[in-house]
Amino acid sequence: MPSGSPATTATPRTAPPQASAERPPTADDGPAPVADPVRLDGPWTHRDVAANGARFHIAEMGEGPLVMLVHGFPQFWWAWRHQMSALAAAGYRAVAVDLRGVGGSDRTPRGYDPTTMALDVLGVIRSLGEPDAAVVGHSWGGYVGWTAAALRPKLVRRLAVLSMPHPRVFRHQLLTDPRQAAASRHILRFQSPWLPERRLSEDDCAEVARLITQWSGEADATAGRPDAQALRRYQDAFAIPATAHCSVEPYRWLIRSLFRPDGIQFNRRMARTLTMPVLQLHGAADRVVLPRGVSESARYVGAPYRWRTFDGVGHFPHEEVPGTVSAELVNWLAEEM
């Protein structure tokens, strides 16, 4: 089905998980699980849109040129809450989408390769009635953003990427840099069947909170380091059935396709030079995607390219230093006016 076409069928979303009865909640747990762990209250509005043969949940706020925000692992749309408010105040239509298999979007049996997921995001842009968007992606969402910009450059007027190099650069790092391979050991663990899903889901999704905490930067350098309340939100969203499986499937494709025809073809496609301005933001203390070599992504950009690093910041700049990241985005986007 073409990207942006209404879905004729969609995998029904599962009901939100019930609160665990194993033990009573404590103050350290943050707020109690909400009735809907995805459609959280705030100044934004929620709705579903059909795109690329599936149904996607979005949260949106503001009016003006579209800015599409794409989350990474192990998060969902809510990771962009700070930037949504800042972008809306600056005169933009901020839309945060839940990727396929996460949050309030459909959990389909397949479609977790970057090409399909990029077409998902591009289809949402079209379903929103917009001619194009500035795409902002974090981590795997950044990988999807790079892919979308290469596949459909007319639909991506600007690209901002946090904590993820260009796909060809990341592939090279994984294959040639032992330090990056060690930093990405969680991706290697995800190659096992069933065990990664079980570990991510057990004990009220405690592994999700552990990963976010471990991957964050220095506590004294990041004012917005995810606290107990934020971690609780991510655990609640991750507890929705099938989320753990859908979340690790992209990383299984990433490794298993390295020497397969589909992976080799994808790598060739990504050699295309991008024609839109690119902003790349990275935490200097990122333990997951090491900063060394990330700026080599500039070789695939034939338009203005800007590189920024943040001292003491880890893998989640948009949450660890939300004001700084929001200001970078707003100032960079203002250049197109």
Side-chain angles (χ1 to χ4, degrees), residues 14-270:
T14 55
Q18 300 299 315
S20 173
E22 293 181 0
R23 59 173 177 79
T26 66
D28 292 336
D29 293 330
V34 293
D36 189 329
V38 173
R39 297 170 188 264
L40 300 173
D41 292 336
W44 40 71
T45 58
H46 297 275
R47 65 185 172 113
D48 295 331
V49 297
N52 200 30
R55 185 164 41 191
F56 298 89
H57 165 257
I58 64 169
E60 57 185 328
M61 185 178 176
E63 298 181 355
L66 177 62
V67 180
M68 178 67 64
L69 302 158
V70 190
H71 67 87
F73 172 88
Q75 300 184 309
F76 66 116
W77 76 266
W78 190 71
W80 297 108
R81 61 198 180 281
H82 304 295
Q83 287 69 45
M84 290 182 69
S85 296
L87 290 167
Y92 295 94
R93 181 187 185 186
V95 173
V97 62
D98 280 330
L99 285 171
R100 180 184 293 253
V102 178
S105 296
D106 278 350
R107 285 145 179 80
T108 57
R110 59 187 62 86
Y112 299 96
D113 60 281
T115 298
T116 300
M117 299 184 82
L119 293 176
D120 291 343
V121 172
L122 295 166
V124 170
I125 294 172
R126 286 177 169 172
S127 292
L128 293 174
E130 298 284 357
D132 55 31
V135 176
V136 182
H138 167 253
S139 188
W140 181 257
Y143 198 100
V144 171
W146 285 113
T147 305
L151 293 179
R152 302 287 189 273
K154 291 184 178 180
L155 285 177
V156 181
R157 69 177 186 273
R158 297 176 81 88
L159 174 67
V161 179
L162 287 68
S163 311
M164 179 57 66
H166 187 276
R168 286 176 64 93
V169 174
F170 194 48
R171 182 182 190 273
H172 180 74
Q173 290 176 328
L174 286 174
L175 292 174
T176 64
D177 188 344
R179 283 172 289 186
Q180 181 57 63
S184 301
R185 56 188 175 275
H186 64 286
I187 299 179
L188 298 178
R189 289 198 299 265
F190 287 166
Q191 306 310 306
S192 302
W194 305 115
L195 291 177
E197 289 92 334
R198 179 178 299 178
R199 184 172 185 181
L200 287 165
S201 301
E202 66 186 4
D203 193 21
D204 200 20
C205 297
E207 179 71 359
V208 171
R210 189 191 70 80
L211 289 176
I212 294 176
T213 300
Q214 178 181 328
W215 293 350
S216 296
E218 303 165 8
D220 59 349
T222 57
R225 199 168 191 263
D227 57 14
Q229 178 176 347
L231 296 175
R232 178 75 264 168
R233 293 292 183 236
Y234 293 122
Q235 289 175 262
D236 290 344
F238 220 84
I240 299 174
T243 300
H245 173 72
C246 295
S247 294
V248 302
E249 282 293 274
Y251 295 103
R252 286 175 172 149
W253 180 92
L254 184 66
I255 299 301
R256 297 175 186 179
S257 68
L258 281 174
F259 304 107
R260 288 191 327 216
D262 58 326
I264 294 172
Q265 182 181 26
F266 172 80
N267 192 52
R268 289 173 178 166
R269 283 184 178 181
M270 291 304 103

Side-chain angles (χ1 to χ4, degrees), residues 218-223 311-313 320-321:
E218 303 165 8
D220 59 349
T222 57
D311 291 340
V313 175
E320 296 177 50
V321 284

